[in-house]
Amino acid sequence: MKREISYFRSVLEQYLNEHHPEMTDSASFIESRAEEALTVYADAVKNGSSHLEAEELANEVLYKGLHFSGYDMIVEVLWNEFSEEIPQGLAERLGAILLGNTAVRKSIAKYSPDDEFDGKPEYDLLYTELTGVIRLVIERNELPVFGSASH
């Protein structure tokens, strides 16, 4: 069960597409992270680890700093707080757009989310703040929503 760099690159690209769409164009990041994961994997196997253990170690490297996703949180807010106004399928597309919004980016950056962020009290604070910011962005930009009273 030998791994190659293309495997780690492909796995990381898929993960970024699903959770960090803003990073999908970062070829240098993807390549260096995949190389690092492959090195960890190969070294672990060479030092007697099973392929499964080696892959777990490589995955730690591959996903380091990527466990929290601003995009995922935005989509979660849209699904939970705006489900009557924004269809679930549209929420994912709108989430990628909102991730590029300056006010949304500033809110996320204020909390400096890391890999353990979703277990911290600040997670709930950011969730609440994003709910308000997203509501303002929708209203200020007169974005069309479904199920709203302004039809």
Side-chain angles (χ1 to χ4, degrees):
M1 187 154 127
K2 184 183 173 212
R3 293 286 181 215
E4 296 183 13
I5 193 162
S6 61
Y7 168 78
F8 291 108
R9 187 183 313 112
S10 175
V11 168
L12 182 56
E13 286 172 341
Q14 181 178 348
Y15 184 81
L16 293 177
N17 280 329
E18 293 174 9
H19 303 285
H20 295 277
E22 75 283 8
M23 297 178 73
T24 57
D25 292 335
S26 183
S28 62
F29 170 78
I30 294 168
E31 192 65 24
S32 67
R33 189 60 70 92
E35 286 176 9
E36 190 177 353
L38 178 61
T39 300
V40 166
Y41 178 87
D43 288 348
V45 170
K46 186 172 72 175
N47 292 327
S49 295
S50 71
H51 289 283
L52 184 60
E53 292 167 332
E55 189 158 350
E56 288 175 11
L57 293 170
N59 284 341
E60 287 179 24
V61 169
L62 201 61
Y63 301 122
K64 184 179 181 199
L66 299 173
H67 294 289
F68 172 80
S69 165
Y71 168 77
D72 286 348
M73 181 175 249
I74 292 166
V75 171
E76 179 183 357
V77 167
L78 292 172
W79 284 348
N80 294 339
E81 308 303 327
F82 299 89
S83 62
E84 291 184 17
E85 297 107 333
I86 299 169
Q88 196 166 6
L90 182 59
E92 293 173 352
R93 286 186 276 157
L94 185 56
I97 294 168
L98 287 169
L99 188 58
N101 179 275
T102 302
V104 171
R105 284 197 323 259
K106 283 182 180 179
S107 292
I108 293 170
K110 188 179 356 175
Y111 291 89
S112 302
D114 57 17
D115 283 345
E116 288 81 36
F117 185 68
D118 63 349
K120 296 179 181 177
E122 291 85 4
Y123 182 92
D124 292 334
L125 294 174
L126 176 56
Y127 182 96
T128 301
E129 184 171 332
L130 281 177
T131 300
V133 169
I134 290 169
R135 168 88 48 215
L136 288 172
V137 169
I138 289 171
E139 290 172 1
R140 286 186 181 156
N141 293 292
E142 298 179 0
L143 296 177
V145 293
F146 300 88
S148 64
S150 62
H151 276 59

